Structure formats: C-alpha cells, structure tokens
Amino acid sequence: MPVWAQVNEEIHRMTEMLSGMQRDDGSWRFCFENGILTDAYLIIVLRTLELPHEELIQQLHARIISKQEKNGAWKVYADEEDGNLDTTVYAYYALLFAGYSSKTDETMEKAAQFIRSKGGLGQVKNLLTQAFLAATGQSPWPATLRIPLEFLLLPASSPISFFDFSNYARIHFVPILLMVSLQSPLRTKATPDLSNLSNNYTGSPSRHHPMKENKETTPELYRLFDEIHNGIKHLASLPGQLHKQAVKYAEQYMLERIESNGTLFSYASSTLLMMMALAMLGYDKHHPVMTAALRGLLSMMWYSDAHTITEVHLQNSPSTIWDTALLSYALQQAGTSPNHAAIRQSVHYLRHRQHTKKGDWSIHAPYTVPGGWGFSESNTINPDVDDTTAALRAIHGTVLHEPTYQDAWNRGLNWVLSMQNRDGGWPAFEKGITNKLLAKLPVDGASAAAIDPSTADLTGRTLEFLGATAGLDMRHRFIRRGTDWLLENQEADGSWFGRWGICYIYGTWSALTGLMAVKADPELPAVRKAVDWLLSIQNDDGGWGESCSSDCLERYVPLGASTPSQTAWALDALTAVHPKPLPAMERGLEQLLHQLHKDDWTTRYPTGAGLPGSVYTHYHSYRHIWPLIALTQYRKKYETL
C-alpha cells in the first residue's frame, strides 16, 4: 500500500477507535501507571491503620509479586541494570505486610538477599520510602528530614521560607515533618520485622542537628539550615507554644488542601502520608477525614482486565484532564470538526473543570485571576501550565464560533502568561520557585522536586501553544524572552533536557516545535544542531527510543529499541523544521506506522518522568496521542508536495 494511503488509513482508524473510547461525560480515561510504588504504600497504610480491604490487598499483592525479576529484585523500568534497591525494599515490605508472602518463600529470600547486597535499609534513598519505613518503626528518621516543624511558621519575607519549596515538595513535606516531630511510630501486631535488612538500627532516632550527621554536608547546606534555625529564633513565642502552633499549622495546612474526593492535593502519595500523620495526631481510622481520604484513594484505582485476570493499580494522580485535552486536540488536528459530538462533549467537560479558586500558586502571582487546569479531575486548586495549554488547544476551535467560551479562553491564556518566570522560561506549577540552594538538600530527588524552575519542555510546549494556537510570534516581547531562554539552555550536543518526559528526545521535540511555532528561523545554528542530534540518534529500524537512565545520569542513553511516543516526538520535531521530508524522516514514518500495530514491552515502556530513579510513568494514552499528532502534522505539511 502506498505510504500516503497507509497514513490516511491509520489516521482514520485511530480517529474512529478513539471516538469510540470516549466516556459519556465527554472525557477519555487511560491508566496513569507509576510502577508499584503507590500499590506498596497503600498496603502498608491499610495494614498499619487496620482498615479491612482484604480483597484489594490480595489484588495489590498479586500485582506486586508479578513484577518481580528472577534475581529477586524489582525494577523501575525494564532496562534498569540489576534492579532497584528502594523499589525492592518497599515491595518486600508490602508483600510481608499483606500477609500472603513470608520471609521463607524462595522469592522473598532472593529479594532479601538483593537488598542486603546493596547495603540494606540504610541505603534507601527515596524520601517517601524513608518516611513510610520510619513512620512504622523500621528505621530512624533520616537526619536530613529532622528539620524543626517550626520552619513552617517562617514568614515569606524570611531568607528561606516554606513557600520557597515547590508545591509538590510542600504537600509531601508537611505530613513527613509532622511525623518526624511527633516521634510516635505506628506499629501493630501485624507489622513485619525488617531487622534482617537493617544496619544496626536501635529504634531510637536522635534529635541532633541534621547537618552534623550528614557526611555530604556543604557550606551552602550549613547556610540553609542555619538560616532556618535563625529564623525560628526570631519568631515571637515561647518554645513550647511555638511547637504547638507549628503542629496546628501542619494539621490545618493539610485539611485546607483536601479536595472534594477526600485526597490531599489529588495525589495518592501525599494522601497516604496524611493518613499516617493524622493517625499519629490521634485521628481515629473512622474519622470523617480518614474515611473520605480512603474513598478518594479507592476512586483512583485502575482496574484492567488482562486475559481475564483483573489487575489493580493505584494511580498516583489520574491523568483524565491531560488525556482528554490532548485527545480532543489530536482529533481536531486530524480533521474532526469542533461541531462533532465527541469534540463538543470533550470541550464541555473541560470547560467545567477550569479552576475558579486561588491556590498556593497565587502567593507568587497575587494579581492573577484563576483560570488554569489541573492534571486530575478532582484537582481544583493546583493547576499547571502544561495542562492549561493542552485544554486551551482543545477548546480553541469552539471559542472561534461560540462566544460563551471566550471568557474561559481569556482566563486560561492570562494565567499561562502570568506564570512566565523572570528568566523568560516557564515552570510547571508556580512561578518564582527557583532557589537553587533548596535543590542541594541531601534528599534523593531534591534537584527535581524541591523547586519548580523553567524547563525546556514546559517552555517549548508553551511557545508551541502560543504560536500555533494563540497566533503569537517573535513580535511579542514575552515570546522573544521564552525563545532566548531556550537558546541559552541548549545542551552542548544540540539537545534539550526534558523534565517531564524521557528525556532528551522529549525536551528537544518540545523546544524545536516551540521555536518553529513562533516563527524562529529554521536556519538558526541551535536549530540545525538540534536536528543533527536527532538524526544522529535514530535507530537502525528508523524509529527513536531513549532509556529512563538518561534522567538519572543526565546524559542521553539509548534504549536500544524504538517506542511509539518517542518516535512520534522525533518525527514531529523534524517535520516542524523541514520544508520537505528527509529520507530519515520517511524511515521514521514507516517505523511509526509499524509500531501502531505492535503490543510488546516497547509499547509499554515508561516515557513520562516523575522523580529521577524512583518514579517513571507509562501513560497508556501516549501510544495513541503522539503518533496521531505526528501523522497528522506530517500529512498536513507534505501530502501535497
């Protein structure tokens, strides 16, 4: 079959298929799969709080054990070398806690042996895993987390305040710091004993100055902690009263950010931590806040029927808004009219999920009217730039002929523009969260999670929206500032690093499509260098594929195979730049068409990034969204040549 016939056939097939997958409310719902982390944490919390959900625990136990490698370890991504210590620890703990595995099982003995070979519990680096271990009495609280709870009370005018951290860090730090201050491990008769994995843990956490126990202390970190302690000294209150105020503040901070579905900030991870912290405070497991939180978690479960065996997974934050916005946009790009029932329903759905309340983001943008969108359906106070531009792309065609949508467009566009950082780039959630000192905290993942700086993927994708959908270009100063940021932050090899996708392919695609959308010169040296880099990493089969190891090592690592989303990103980037298709692009197109009919590990490989080395996401929607967009853009540009 001629290639254009194949392209048109695939676009038609995908359009029909996706239209048929839409829900009655206008949304699309795909699994937001984050490995086994949240599944394990949920078992730990259910057992610790003695909440009777036996069938669910059995299902989660089955899912976790099905992911174990032959050497006894668990991995975060398929090509991770050997195995992942942190993942193996929380998998091992959850399986024992579930009660359907025992230490003497051959598979569990292998897991324990792997953990000990990597240094035992003392080498666990993941902040959340450290918290669940310490909160249940399995290990001491890490010295780096023994920050006085009174830190939360420091005013924004202080040299360092709590609101200098990213919202993701804040919503997880509060329950953790509260538990550290309470020093009341939650243990039951069913709590497993992990002393066989520990390194001389006595069960008596010290209260020393955190920095004096950290072997990797730097002068910057001494300064950071000194500023925190000095700030606390200037708070006008007696020490005992001050601590009570801090405990109350932490409690209220969480309660005031609970969404209507009962979850804390729409994250499963922070909700589970909140339940543990409130239990330490004395909340009964039947307290309305606790029961609502559990209901919210259960509403975030994903049930998949694979070969008649139901697999259960706790999504950390369901991607309903993201998937719905991108799929509505993709279908419209493929030729579906804004007046089509599927588009009208999706746009109606999105319009009613636009935020109308100010959240913590307004601390750094006090005069901005709410108008963003969040990632999850339950999210009403934590919008982000990427979801907002995705939703605006989806509603744009409707705005042109239905004036009632104009206000939603105006508020959304205004919110996006107001989030631009002083350096010209765009962050994910909040502007101005750029204190690099906080990224040096000796906590695993701090560089990625503690702050919310401008990134190439957010800046590039925002520029792409502003150019391709909003019709803006280099004549506008804020556009020039954004392009300048991209050009100044290009890697030496010509790529860009993407924070929220894997990784250099994702960042380079975002940057190139953004630059071209705002009418940057395709002959710019930076553009030519990026194109050369993309062509240099093309696989022999014509596609593209990058390992999650790139995210950890901060350099490009080839996957050794091609994935649908990464092939689509690379092809779309090259399409944006070139007036005519290159032979390499034609090979990429052929491979992408081939991948659409595959179902193997490459179609399930995680290409979404969360926390380096800890959390990567397999978006079940990505094998549909990005290939459809790439094929559509390729057809629009080249079919008539």
Side-chain angles (χ1 to χ4, degrees):
M1 184 185 295
V3 67
W4 286 118
Q6 292 182 58
V7 170
N8 290 326
E9 182 180 279
E10 282 303 318
I11 291 175
H12 176 74
R13 182 189 67 82
M14 295 179 75
T15 297
E16 291 294 310
M17 177 191 68
L18 290 167
S19 296
M21 297 173 74
Q22 189 178 28
R23 301 296 181 94
D24 291 341
D25 64 0
S27 68
W28 279 273
R29 296 169 190 266
F30 288 86
C31 184
F32 179 67
E33 187 177 348
N34 313 111
I36 60 168
L37 179 135
T38 46
D39 301 329
Y41 293 166
L42 179 56
I43 290 176
I44 294 168
V45 171
L46 289 175
R47 285 298 193 222
T48 298
L49 302 184
E50 299 179 315
L51 296 166
H53 286 271
E54 205 60 35
E55 183 180 359
L56 175 58
I57 290 173
Q58 289 178 350
Q59 292 173 319
L60 293 170
H61 174 275
R63 181 173 194 270
I64 292 171
I65 208 163
S66 72
K67 308 294 183 183
Q68 189 175 20
E69 300 292 323
K70 291 181 179 179
N71 68 345
W74 278 261
K75 293 183 177 181
V76 180
Y77 49 94
D79 59 315
E80 185 176 27
E81 187 177 355
D82 197 16
N84 188 284
L85 171 62
D86 289 32
T87 305
T88 304
V89 166
Y90 59 68
Y92 181 86
Y93 191 21
L95 292 177
L96 288 180
F97 228 149
Y100 300 103
S101 292
S102 66
K103 292 181 180 180
T104 57
D105 295 344
E106 182 181 356
T107 54
M108 297 296 280
E109 288 181 343
K110 284 185 176 181
Q113 184 178 355
F114 176 84
I115 292 169
R116 287 191 293 267
S117 74
K118 298 297 181 181
L121 293 188
Q123 296 303 310
V124 168
K125 302 298 183 185
N126 180 275
L127 170 65
L128 300 186
T129 303
Q130 290 176 334
F132 280 105
L133 289 172
T136 54
Q138 299 293 349
S139 63
W141 285 101
T144 51
L145 286 179
R146 293 179 212 142
I147 300 171
L149 190 64
E150 291 81 356
F151 169 56
L152 304 181
L153 302 177
L154 294 181
S157 58
S158 300
I160 295 290
S161 82
F162 183 55
F163 283 93
D164 288 327
F165 284 94
S166 71
N167 61 13
Y168 178 88
R170 294 195 303 267
I171 208 65
H172 289 84
F173 273 165
V174 166
I176 289 174
L177 294 182
L178 179 57
M179 287 191 288
V180 174
S181 74
L182 294 173
Q183 298 286 328
S184 304
L186 299 168
R187 296 182 67 91
T188 71
K189 293 179 180 179
T191 303
D193 177 12
L194 299 185
S195 59
N196 60 315
L197 308 178
S198 300
N199 291 335
N200 301 319
Y201 170 42
T202 64
S204 302
S206 68
R207 295 176 178 269
H208 297 164
H209 189 291
M211 298 316 299
K212 292 180 180 178
E213 299 179 35
N214 177 31
K215 296 178 181 179
E216 298 180 3
T217 298
T218 65
E220 291 88 353
L221 289 171
Y222 270 121
R223 180 163 61 86
L224 169 62
F225 278 81
D226 284 343
E227 286 179 350
I228 290 173
H229 283 274
N230 289 335
I232 292 171
K233 290 177 182 177
H234 288 90
L235 292 174
S237 182
L238 296 174
Q241 294 176 337
L242 196 62
H243 184 70
K244 289 181 181 178
Q245 290 176 25
V247 170
K248 191 64 179 177
Y249 179 90
E251 180 185 6
Q252 288 302 120
Y253 184 93
M254 292 186 291
L255 296 179
E256 291 169 2
R257 287 159 180 79
I258 293 176
E259 289 285 9
S260 61
N261 72 341
T263 62
L264 180 60
F265 237 48
S266 295
Y267 292 128
S269 52
S270 57
T271 303
L272 291 164
L273 288 169
M274 176 186 72
M275 293 176 73
M276 297 287 279
L278 293 179
M280 283 191 190
L281 271 180
Y283 279 59
D284 183 80
K285 65 182 179 181
H286 300 300
H287 188 283
V289 172
M290 302 287 266
T291 56
L294 182 57
R295 280 198 306 271
L297 291 171
L298 296 178
S299 73
M300 294 161 70
M301 302 299 302
W302 181 266
Y303 294 85
S304 63
D305 189 358
H307 307 295
T308 72
I309 299 175
T310 300
E311 184 175 285
V312 177
H313 173 53
L314 175 57
Q315 303 172 96
N316 194 46
S317 187
S319 54
T320 312
I321 302 299
W322 178 242
D323 290 336
T324 300
L326 289 175
L327 284 165
S328 179
Y329 167 74
L331 289 173
Q332 291 178 72
Q333 289 295 295
T336 305
S337 167
N339 291 319
H340 189 282
I343 304 305
R344 293 184 66 85
Q345 289 171 346
S346 66
V347 168
H348 177 80
Y349 173 87
L350 290 169
R351 181 188 180 189
H352 289 278
R353 270 73 185 177
Q354 187 175 26
H355 291 192
T356 59
K357 298 184 291 187
K358 285 195 172 186
D360 291 340
W361 57 266
S362 63
I363 293 172
H364 300 280
Y367 305 111
T368 300
V369 175
W373 276 265
F375 187 70
S376 297
E377 189 173 50
S378 59
N379 184 335
T380 66
I381 55 175
N382 183 31
D384 67 271
V385 172
D386 228 1
D387 276 286
T388 302
T389 60
L392 290 171
R393 286 182 182 92
I395 73 171
H396 181 252
T398 304
V399 172
L400 296 178
H401 63 269
E402 290 195 26
T404 54
Y405 279 82
Q406 190 66 53
D407 179 64
W409 169 270
N410 290 343
R411 289 192 296 114
L413 179 60
N414 177 66
W415 190 85
V416 169
L417 295 178
S418 74
M419 288 299 112
Q420 188 174 27
N421 276 326
R422 289 183 179 179
D423 61 14
W426 270 269
F429 296 94
E430 295 175 279
K431 68 185 298 183
I433 309 296
T434 57
N435 189 333
K436 293 182 179 179
L437 181 60
L438 301 181
K440 294 181 179 294
L441 276 172
V443 174
D444 190 51
S447 61
I451 57 177
D452 189 9
S454 301
T455 64
D457 47 332
L458 265 299
T459 302
R461 285 187 52 72
T462 303
L463 289 175
E464 195 280 334
F465 157 73
L466 293 173
T469 304
L472 306 174
D473 56 33
M474 300 286 280
R475 291 173 295 180
H476 299 85
R477 183 173 178 271
F478 56 87
I479 297 288
R480 292 197 303 274
R481 291 176 58 225
T483 59
D484 287 346
W485 186 92
L486 279 177
L487 297 177
E488 291 166 4
N489 286 275
Q490 188 177 26
E491 302 291 326
D493 62 6
S495 66
W496 278 272
F497 176 83
R499 164 66 181 89
W500 299 99
I502 305 299
C503 195
Y504 291 94
I505 293 177
Y506 186 73
T508 304
W509 161 69
S510 301
L512 284 178
T513 53
L515 289 170
M516 294 303 98
V518 296
K519 297 181 172 55
D521 185 354
E523 296 302 321
L524 280 171
V527 173
R528 303 316 310 172
K529 194 172 184 180
V531 166
D532 289 343
W533 179 80
L534 276 176
L535 295 175
S536 74
I537 63 165
Q538 187 175 22
N539 291 331
D540 291 340
D541 65 10
W544 281 263
E546 181 177 358
S547 171
C548 294
S549 297
S550 292
D551 192 39
C552 308
L553 300 176
E554 297 186 354
R555 60 176 174 79
Y556 173 74
V557 178
L559 179 60
S562 300
T563 69
S565 55
Q566 291 169 328
T567 298
W569 293 333
L571 184 62
D572 194 36
L574 295 171
T575 300
V577 175
H578 289 285
K580 295 181 180 180
L582 304 174
M585 296 169 62
E586 293 172 344
R587 290 174 51 233
L589 177 65
E590 292 176 3
Q591 175 60 17
L592 184 58
L593 291 168
H594 172 67
Q595 289 174 335
L596 293 175
H597 297 275
K598 291 177 64 178
D599 185 18
D600 60 14
W601 72 273
T602 63
T603 62
R604 296 185 289 272
Y605 190 81
T607 57
L611 292 175
S614 300
V615 180
Y616 295 101
T617 301
H618 166 39
Y619 289 85
H620 289 210
S621 62
Y622 272 20
R623 66 178 302 177
H624 308 300
I625 293 170
W626 304 118
L628 180 56
I629 289 175
L631 290 176
T632 299
Q633 297 301 328
Y634 195 95
R635 181 176 69 175
K636 282 182 180 180
K637 192 162 187 177
Y638 302 131
E639 188 176 23
T640 58
L641 293 180

